[in-house]
Each structure stands twice: as C-alpha cells, then as structure tokens.
C-alpha cells in the first residue's frame, strides 16, 4: 500500500460526501462552516492518522481580521481532533504497509468522523467541545472567548482574552489584545473604571 493509494481510497469516500481535496487535505463547506479532514503521515513514513476540524468563518474572522482564504487547514479550526480521540480517546495510527489500512480509515471516517463533524457545526457544540477538552492552546482559548462573547457572556469572554494576553508570549498575546479590541473589551473595562 502506498500513501498515494491511501489518498485515492479516502478521496473516493469523501468526494461523494461533498468534500473537495487538495493534496492530503479535504474541505466541505456548509454556509459559514468549513469542515477539514487531513491525512497525517508519521515522520518515519510508516503510519497514518486522520486529523479533523470544524471552522466557523465569523469566529475565524474575529481572530485573523478576515474570512479564510482557500483551503482551511485543520490547525486553524475552532474544533480540532485526531481520529483516535473521537473513536476511543486514544491515539490511533494505521500502518501504511497494511493492505487493510484504507478500508479501516474509511470505516472510522464513516462511523466516527463524519458524525463528529455533523455534531460540531453549531456554535453551542463548538463551545461545549472546547469547554470539555479543557483547551490550553492560545488559539483555541481565543476561539472559546469569541464563542462566549457571541453567546452574550461578554465579561467572561473579555476576562479570558485578558488571561491569554497576560500568559501567552509574543504573537499570541498580541493576537488576544487585537481580538479584545475588536470585541470592545477595552472600552468595557474603561467604562467600569
């Protein structure tokens, strides 16, 4: 089994489900939601796993100052998971050399990944996922703050962004400050003084 053959089998499954492919990355759009699926090959080149994500255009735009351009990569998604996390909570890699690997990956996509993506399309589901996973990355914490803001919990959103500004380093601290400004957090703090 080659990586190219693996990509072809996955594409034959995801294509009819509405996904477009670029390399080892697939995207499917539902209005303002983009779902991403990518194949990750191990550093040794002998195993493969699947990473998935769900991105909300409006939430992304608050962070980055505009809508996503081109294909959405999983690391930029609001909700991010690896297939094993979805299947049973353990990391899951398939040997590339095994002839059953493409079918096993497609089975996991059908039984676990696509339902996960379907369930993760609402802002409420995205926020619940980030809460449940106890996110620690600055980007996902910023996304969580934005989702809370959009739900109406402005004080918590602004406090979360302030924490990121104070704890994160460099670009992430600056990014949190930009998002806080876009959401009007500083104006709210000034009015409370």
């Amino acid at each position: 089994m080659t990586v190219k053959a693996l990509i072809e089998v996955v594409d034959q499954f995801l294509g009819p489900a509405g996904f477009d492919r670029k390399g080892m990355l697939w995207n499917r759009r539902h209005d303002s939601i983009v779902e991403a699926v990518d194949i990750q090959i191990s550093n040794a080149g002998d195993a493969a796993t699947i990473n998935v994500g769900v991105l909300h255009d409006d939430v992304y735009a608050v962070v980055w100052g505009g809508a996503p351009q081109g294909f959405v990569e999983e690391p930029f998604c609001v909700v991010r998971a690896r297939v094993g996390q979805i299947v049973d909570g353990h990391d899951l890699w398939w040997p590339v050399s095994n002839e059953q690997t493409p079918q096993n990956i497609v089975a996991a996509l059908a039984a676990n990944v696509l339902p996960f993506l379907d369930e993760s399309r609402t802002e409420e589901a995205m926020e619940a996922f980030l809460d449940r996973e106890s996110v620690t990355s600055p980007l996902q914490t910023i996304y969580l703050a934005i989702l809370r803001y959009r739900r109406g919990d402005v004080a918590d959103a602004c406090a979360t962004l302030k924490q990121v500004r104070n704890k994160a380093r460099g670009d992430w601290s600056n990014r949190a400050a930009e998002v806080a400004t876009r959401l009007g957090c500083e104006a709210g703090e000034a009015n409370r003084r």
Side-chain angles (χ1 to χ4, degrees), residues 4-31:
K4 182 179 178 185
L6 172 61
I7 292 168
E8 289 174 6
V9 171
V10 171
D11 193 46
Q12 289 169 4
F13 174 75
L14 290 176
F19 286 86
D20 295 316
R21 180 175 73 89
K22 179 180 178 183
M24 294 191 295
L25 172 65
W26 289 262
N27 276 188
R28 177 170 69 176
R29 180 170 282 283
H30 297 276
D31 299 319

Side-chain angles (χ1 to χ4, degrees), residues 78 129-137 140-141 144:
V78 176
F129 176 86
L130 294 173
D131 277 334
R132 186 173 60 249
E133 295 301 314
S134 301
V135 297
T136 57
S137 82
Q140 286 192 301
T141 305
L144 179 58

Side-chain angles (χ1 to χ4, degrees), residues 83-98:
V83 66
Q85 179 183 354
I86 298 167
V87 171
D88 63 7
H90 302 319
D91 208 10
L92 178 59
W93 290 81
W94 291 275
V96 171
S97 61
N98 186 324

Side-chain angles (χ1 to χ4, degrees), residues 145-146 148-149 153-165 176 179-181 183-189 192:
I146 295 165
R148 289 177 175 162
Y149 181 90
D153 194 348
V154 175
D156 186 75
C158 292
T160 300
L161 290 169
K162 188 174 184 177
Q163 286 178 338
V164 174
R165 280 195 331 255
V179 170
T181 298
L183 297 181
C185 291
E186 282 78 14
E189 286 179 14
R192 287 191 292 268

Side-chain angles (χ1 to χ4, degrees), residues 70-87:
F71 267 68
V72 171
E73 297 179 21
E74 173 265 336
F76 291 97
C77 288
V78 176
V79 170
R80 299 177 57 204
R82 191 172 275 172
V83 66
Q85 179 183 354
I86 298 167
V87 171

